[in-house]
Amino acid sequence: MATPPAAAESVPIGVRLTADVEYRPNRPSPYRARVRWWDPETKSRRSLSEAKDTEDEAQEWITALVEAAEAGINPSLATMPLVDYGTANMELALRGLELKTLDPYLAGWRLRVVPALGHLPVRMITNGAVDRTVYRWIADEYSRSTVKNTIAVLVRVMEQAVRDGLIKVNPARVSGWQRQYQQVEDELNDPRALALPDWDTLRAVAKALVARSHGQYQGWGDVVTFAASTAARIGEVSGVRVRDIDTDSWIWTVRRQTTPARGGLVDKATKGKRARKVPLIEEVRPMVAQRLLAAGDSPDARLFFGPRGGRISTAVLRDATHWDDVVTELGFEHLRRHDLRHTGLTWFADAGVPLHVLRKIAGHGSLTTTQRYLHPDADQITAAGAALSAHLMVLRAPRSLPLTAVAAV
């Protein structure tokens, strides 16, 4: 992935660049990419270089600078990550906005756009990347207005990139997201459209995912099982540390989540920056105890991780387990990683967990969101009818005379 060269502003617009890649096997990043040019003012030979991990990355860095210089584009913009481009051009991109609109736009940029896409160079942001990101915002249960404002600020920044000549078409002008939002809302109004039916089905899905993973890594099955049983997001499962688990009460304090950021995956506070407590049911306690034992005495040791010890994200889980293929083969083609959370919340609701408690477990900011999971299934509706019939039967039955009346007779 291309990164901005430290002194790219010294490359003049429109100059002709020559380039080469040198392989230096003894260096941590062995491929040195270099561009050279004649400075039009000083008439001196200048150069700029950067070390890369692979030859492809080195060539990508060179290509971005050469194309930008030949097209009359400031070469420093050609490899600039979205977060830096937006910071430098936000005032221009948001010109003309009313003050009441400015704050939600900037909040959307800071809280959602930058964590999801900020690390990518502007020229690498595609329609597909935007589509997947918008869907993730919708699945994370952000309100319609929040998603709208977040997309709007991204559109404006990318439109400025079009005017700067960095890209030809604005990839953030996505269509159909409102329909997608409505579909997710409809599914949330019937959580069973998202949830797995029972524990045995969950274990079968977890087993199948492990079987399709490279090296049949058991950790993927543990992640899936833990996420569903705790109604947690995959990023939150990745963030679990030893000290977050209380084995006396078997409660997990959810404090952090793993999320994409500039430079890769990082740990940060949970959504809404609110810690919450989640019960660990008996079915997962042996697995959790085994992982705690393997982690040793370090309270900051990560409980769940990839086969090489790295952080986990929903995308990592999807790719490592061939998720889409596996769930389709099992007849759950609708199932997404986030639906493991919906599964857990639906099970908690069906078990009769009170609304205010379920809200705390879910970490929802609003009771309205939690209430979506309280829709009864057919058995519960039938039982409710039987209960009402029994109640009415009692009301219709002749009442016995009070003792005082009996004595009078």
Side-chain angles (χ1 to χ4, degrees):
M1 182 180 299
T3 55
E9 65 274 8
S10 64
V11 180
I13 295 175
V15 298
R16 181 179 179 181
L17 302 178
T18 59
D20 63 85
V21 176
E22 179 186 359
Y23 178 60
R24 301 178 295 178
N26 297 325
R27 304 292 181 89
S29 297
Y31 293 91
R32 186 186 73 163
R34 182 177 63 170
V35 294
R36 306 179 71 187
W37 70 94
W38 286 100
D39 189 282
E41 294 184 4
T42 64
K43 308 301 180 183
S44 61
R45 191 70 163 163
R46 303 284 300 278
S47 68
L48 181 68
S49 64
E50 186 163 315
K52 298 292 181 181
D53 293 334
T54 67
E55 186 175 4
D56 287 344
E57 290 179 355
Q59 291 292 351
E60 179 185 317
W61 182 85
I62 289 172
T63 299
L65 289 179
V66 170
E67 289 180 352
E70 290 178 349
I73 302 171
N74 187 338
S76 66
L77 301 180
T79 54
M80 183 178 286
L82 178 63
V83 60
D84 293 337
Y85 181 81
T87 300
N89 295 279
M90 188 63 69
E91 184 175 353
L92 192 59
L94 300 186
R95 64 189 183 279
L97 281 182
E98 297 181 6
L99 289 178
K100 66 178 182 180
T101 307
L102 194 60
D103 284 345
Y105 275 32
L106 291 176
W109 174 264
R110 184 179 69 256
L111 298 177
R112 285 167 289 280
V113 174
V114 170
L117 297 169
H119 60 289
L120 294 174
V122 173
R123 302 179 94 185
M124 288 183 61
I125 296 176
T126 63
N127 292 108
V130 175
D131 284 341
R132 286 188 289 273
T133 300
V134 171
Y135 189 85
R136 187 162 65 247
W137 292 334
I138 295 172
D140 281 348
E141 300 167 6
Y142 288 112
S143 70
R144 189 186 295 264
S145 61
T146 296
V147 175
K148 175 179 176 291
N149 290 331
T150 304
I151 294 174
V153 69
L154 177 59
V155 167
R156 280 181 166 259
V157 171
M158 296 305 289
E159 197 61 37
Q160 185 59 43
V162 172
R163 288 192 288 270
D164 280 334
L166 294 182
I167 52 179
K168 294 181 179 180
V169 179
N170 188 340
R173 291 194 176 277
V174 294
S175 60
W177 73 268
Q178 294 93 340
R179 184 170 60 254
Q180 192 178 61
Y181 191 98
Q182 186 61 51
Q183 178 184 355
V184 171
E185 277 194 330
D186 292 342
E187 290 171 340
L188 286 174
N189 285 333
D190 179 12
R192 284 165 187 82
L194 298 172
L196 291 171
D198 51 45
W199 182 261
D200 288 341
T201 303
L202 171 65
R203 295 301 300 146
V205 170
K207 183 177 180 181
L209 292 168
V210 168
R212 286 292 296 275
S213 67
H214 179 70
Q216 299 188 343
Y217 177 57
Q218 181 59 44
W220 300 128
D222 292 348
V223 167
V224 168
T225 303
F226 189 84
S229 66
T230 57
R233 302 173 179 90
I234 297 299
E236 293 170 339
V237 176
S238 177
V240 181
R241 305 293 174 87
V242 169
R243 60 186 170 91
D244 299 331
I245 305 295
D246 182 349
T247 54
D248 293 330
S249 60
W250 285 106
I251 287 178
W252 165 34
T253 302
V254 187
R255 294 189 172 95
R256 68 192 68 78
Q257 62 179 330
T258 298
T259 185
R262 183 180 180 183
L265 296 174
V266 299
D267 289 341
K268 68 173 188 178
T270 59
K271 182 180 176 182
K273 297 181 173 59
R274 295 185 299 269
R276 68 181 193 275
K277 295 185 181 297
V278 176
L280 299 178
I281 62 176
E282 292 183 7
E283 286 79 357
V284 299
R285 291 176 188 175
M287 177 263 288
V288 172
Q290 184 178 8
R291 286 187 164 271
L292 288 171
L293 183 63
D297 299 327
S298 173
D300 290 321
R302 195 179 297 272
L303 210 62
F304 297 96
F305 40 81
R308 297 181 181 179
R311 296 179 175 92
I312 297 169
S313 69
T314 181
V316 170
L317 175 61
R318 177 198 65 213
D319 295 341
T321 61
H322 302 277
W323 177 284
D324 295 336
D325 293 337
V326 170
V327 298
T328 299
E329 291 168 3
L330 293 176
F332 299 106
E333 58 276 355
H334 69 282
L335 192 71
R336 299 157 299 195
R337 277 73 59 202
H338 193 74
D339 296 338
L340 298 172
R341 171 170 163 82
H342 291 300
T343 292
L345 290 175
T346 301
W347 289 356
F348 275 120
D350 286 352
V353 175
L355 177 61
H356 68 283
V357 177
L358 184 59
R359 176 190 175 190
K360 293 293 185 182
I361 292 173
H364 289 151
S366 163
L367 280 175
T368 303
T369 304
T370 311
Q371 283 173 330
R372 293 167 172 165
Y373 295 91
L374 299 184
H375 288 252
D377 60 16
D379 291 340
Q380 291 171 317
I381 292 174
T382 301
L388 178 56
S389 294
H391 174 69
L392 294 176
M393 188 176 297
V394 170
L395 293 179
R396 288 196 303 268
R399 299 183 180 182
S400 58
L401 293 174
L403 291 177
T404 53
V406 173
V409 173

